[in-house]
Amino acid sequence: MFYTRKWCSSIVIVATQVQMLNVKIYRGVFLLALAVFVPRAAEALDNGLALTPTMGWLHWERFMCNTDCDKDPNNCISERLFMQMADVMVKEGWKEAGYEYVCIDDCWPSHQRDAQGRLQADPKRFPGGIKKLADYVHSKGLKLGIYADVGEKTCAGYPGSLGYYEIDAQTFADWGVDLLKFDGCYMGWKLLGEGYVNMSKALNKTGASILYSCEWPLYEWPFRQPNYTAIRETCNHWRNYADVYDSWNSVKSILDWTSSHQDIIVPSAGPGGWNDPDMLLQNRHIIAISQDPLGKQGYCTVKVASFEVWERPLFKNQLAIAVLNKQEIGGPRDFSISVAPGWKFCSPLCNVTQILPQYKEIGVQTPKSNLAVSVNPSGTALLTVTQISKDFNQLPWQNMPVKRMGL
């Protein structure tokens, strides 16, 4: 998630790093991109959740599968870690910014189910059990996410949910869990869809409000193009690509994959179901774009001279335009906003606000304005454009390939 979800789903630009309990967390930009004229998204999973992209924290990128609490008590996967993280999310402003989920990844359970076939937390690292942890997280005004796997085992070798979907779903509901990240290890790829659908049904059967985060397309892409209509009907968000690492190359790889597959993945995104790029941010203006109620995912519209332009239509006749400088050497470079396809809808007038690199009101512009942004190497300029007295329902992205010039 950042989640990155993670996320949020799709343009991610790293700006600065912050420390949370020695966790390196990227502040990123997410422009969840979608063109106005692309086909209507399939019906979303009908559980009333994820009407905007999910925001929260997941332990994996920093803590991975560290279970040695004797040697490393401050960084091991334990109830202490997640209680501390809930405290930090409140104290350092993440909750106020809109983050609501504290999410456990792999390596939390005991290696054995209990006598009733239920998953159980490792008794040494989670002595109070998951219910106690959920109660603590809820007392902070936050929600708890947990991890399980569609197959026989989790990716780290702990008990999977295959054959136990209804039992595990009810166990999570009884504990007060609010989100399930459902991984795809140790499962034949031809059976992935059936497994994810069965867990979705099991979660709904509990009557609890449990947001369902799937890894379905991530594990099916190596074999065939996933069915995103079925995925959207089953899951609240889904991973398409590899884990994010603490590096710019990792972020670039997610961007590149997203732009090269956007015609396939963008139409599926919208309220109730989202592509998940696995990231995190705190800037309130960027979060407002991520959480925009129109629910249209962003689109890469131009690649030119080591620049990329991503555009996203927003609520109330607004458009977000992000300009990414992919050059990693030299100084700032200027980019003319008139190159962005959406700029032609600044007609007869529009008001422009710069979000990145620094917030400022640029003011009223016309289609002929000579407006340029200066973008640092590996940096991003982010603008919002508000139309003044013009029909906003026509943006030039239907069936339009990415515009490439001077590459």
Side-chain angles (χ1 to χ4, degrees):
M1 259 173 215
F2 3 52
Y3 204 147
T4 354
R5 146 163 13 262
K6 103 208 310 256
W7 3 239
C8 120
S9 333
S10 259
I11 170 171
V12 183
I13 293 87
V14 169
T16 60
Q17 291 180 323
V18 295
Q19 295 291 326
M20 278 174 63
L21 287 177
N22 298 317
V23 188
K24 289 183 178 178
I25 299 178
Y26 281 116
R27 290 179 181 172
V29 178
F30 296 77
L31 302 184
L32 302 159
L34 212 188
V36 167
F37 286 134
V38 298
R40 182 175 180 270
E43 292 299 319
L45 173 62
D46 186 18
N47 62 5
L49 302 174
L51 299 183
T52 59
T54 307
M55 296 173 61
W57 177 85
L58 182 70
H59 89 244
W60 188 260
E61 194 271 346
R62 171 65 178 183
F63 298 101
M64 300 185 71
C65 194
N66 181 354
T67 59
D68 191 346
C69 291
D70 292 330
K71 182 179 179 180
D72 194 8
N74 294 325
N75 294 292
C76 68
I77 309 308
S78 66
E79 67 181 26
R80 177 173 180 260
L81 173 68
F82 296 99
M83 289 177 176
Q84 288 179 328
M85 190 55 61
D87 293 342
V88 169
M89 287 179 68
V90 174
K91 182 179 179 180
E92 296 191 1
W94 297 92
K95 176 189 172 186
E96 184 180 4
Y99 289 89
E100 57 179 340
Y101 289 92
V102 179
C103 297
I104 307 168
D105 209 288
D106 205 347
C107 307
W108 65 269
S110 169
H111 282 285
Q112 302 295 327
R113 291 176 176 267
D114 69 12
Q116 287 74 45
R118 296 172 299 191
L119 290 170
Q120 52 187 343
D122 182 278
K124 183 176 180 180
R125 294 182 285 116
F126 294 84
I130 301 301
K131 179 64 167 66
K132 176 185 175 182
L133 178 57
D135 289 345
Y136 184 86
V137 170
H138 293 160
S139 76
K140 300 295 181 179
L142 299 168
K143 297 178 180 179
L144 182 70
I146 205 164
Y147 170 100
D149 194 284
V150 70
E152 294 180 0
K153 294 185 287 186
T154 72
C155 297
Y158 291 83
S161 292
L162 183 62
Y164 294 89
Y165 296 140
E166 291 196 2
I167 292 174
D168 290 355
Q170 189 60 55
T171 299
F172 299 146
D174 293 343
W175 286 342
V177 166
D178 305 291
L179 178 151
L180 172 63
K181 175 184 174 181
F182 210 42
D183 217 333
C185 288
Y186 294 98
M187 185 71 156
W189 72 269
K190 293 182 179 179
L191 300 177
L192 281 170
E194 179 182 353
Y196 277 103
V197 169
N198 287 339
M199 179 53 93
S200 183
K201 292 177 179 177
L203 290 171
N204 284 341
K205 186 178 178 180
T206 70
S209 294
I210 301 177
L211 193 150
Y212 188 33
S213 175
C214 301
E215 310 276 297
W216 179 353
L218 173 66
Y219 288 91
E220 193 164 319
W221 266 113
F223 304 99
R224 68 182 178 192
Q225 179 177 313
N227 180 348
Y228 279 92
T229 298
I231 291 168
R232 179 172 170 81
E233 291 170 348
T234 302
C235 311
N236 290 119
H237 46 78
W238 46 87
R239 284 279 301 285
N240 295 301
Y241 193 62
D243 289 352
V244 62
Y245 284 72
D246 198 359
S247 76
W248 178 232
N249 283 337
S250 173
V251 174
K252 286 194 301 180
S253 71
I254 295 172
L255 282 172
D256 291 342
W257 189 94
T258 299
S259 65
S260 64
H261 293 82
Q262 62 185 9
D263 291 340
I264 299 169
I265 69 171
V266 163
S268 65
W274 306 95
N275 294 296
D276 176 6
D278 209 32
M279 297 281 167
L280 189 66
L281 65 142
Q282 197 181 51
N283 182 302
R284 66 183 179 89
H285 299 292
I286 298 170
I287 290 174
I289 294 173
S290 168
Q291 300 292 295
D292 184 78
L294 187 63
K296 299 292 187 180
Q297 184 178 323
Y299 218 84
C300 183
T301 57
V302 172
K303 293 185 178 183
V304 52
S306 296
F307 284 106
E308 285 185 359
V309 177
W310 295 71
E311 302 182 50
R312 180 189 178 186
L314 305 174
F315 189 56
K316 293 185 178 179
N317 287 3
Q318 288 189 305
L319 177 70
I321 301 177
V323 180
L324 169 62
N325 180 1
K326 298 192 74 176
Q327 188 166 287
E328 299 180 17
I329 193 171
R333 296 193 296 148
D334 288 344
F335 183 87
S336 174
I337 292 298
S338 63
V339 174
W343 183 250
K344 66 179 62 177
F345 290 92
C346 180
S347 175
L349 299 170
C350 66
N351 188 74
V352 178
T353 301
Q354 179 178 288
I355 308 300
L356 292 176
Q358 294 90 26
Y359 182 90
K360 66 178 179 180
E361 293 290 345
I362 295 176
V364 175
Q365 305 291 314
T366 74
K368 295 183 179 180
S369 296
N370 186 25
L371 179 61
V373 290
S374 179
V375 193
N376 285 321
S378 303
T380 304
L382 176 62
L383 307 174
T384 57
V385 180
T386 303
Q387 265 192 336
I388 300 175
S389 66
K390 172 75 177 181
D391 183 6
F392 190 66
N393 292 322
Q394 298 182 24
L395 286 171
W397 299 333
Q398 184 181 20
N399 301 319
M400 185 188 78
V402 175
K403 186 176 181 182
R404 300 175 184 270
M405 301 180 294
L407 296 176

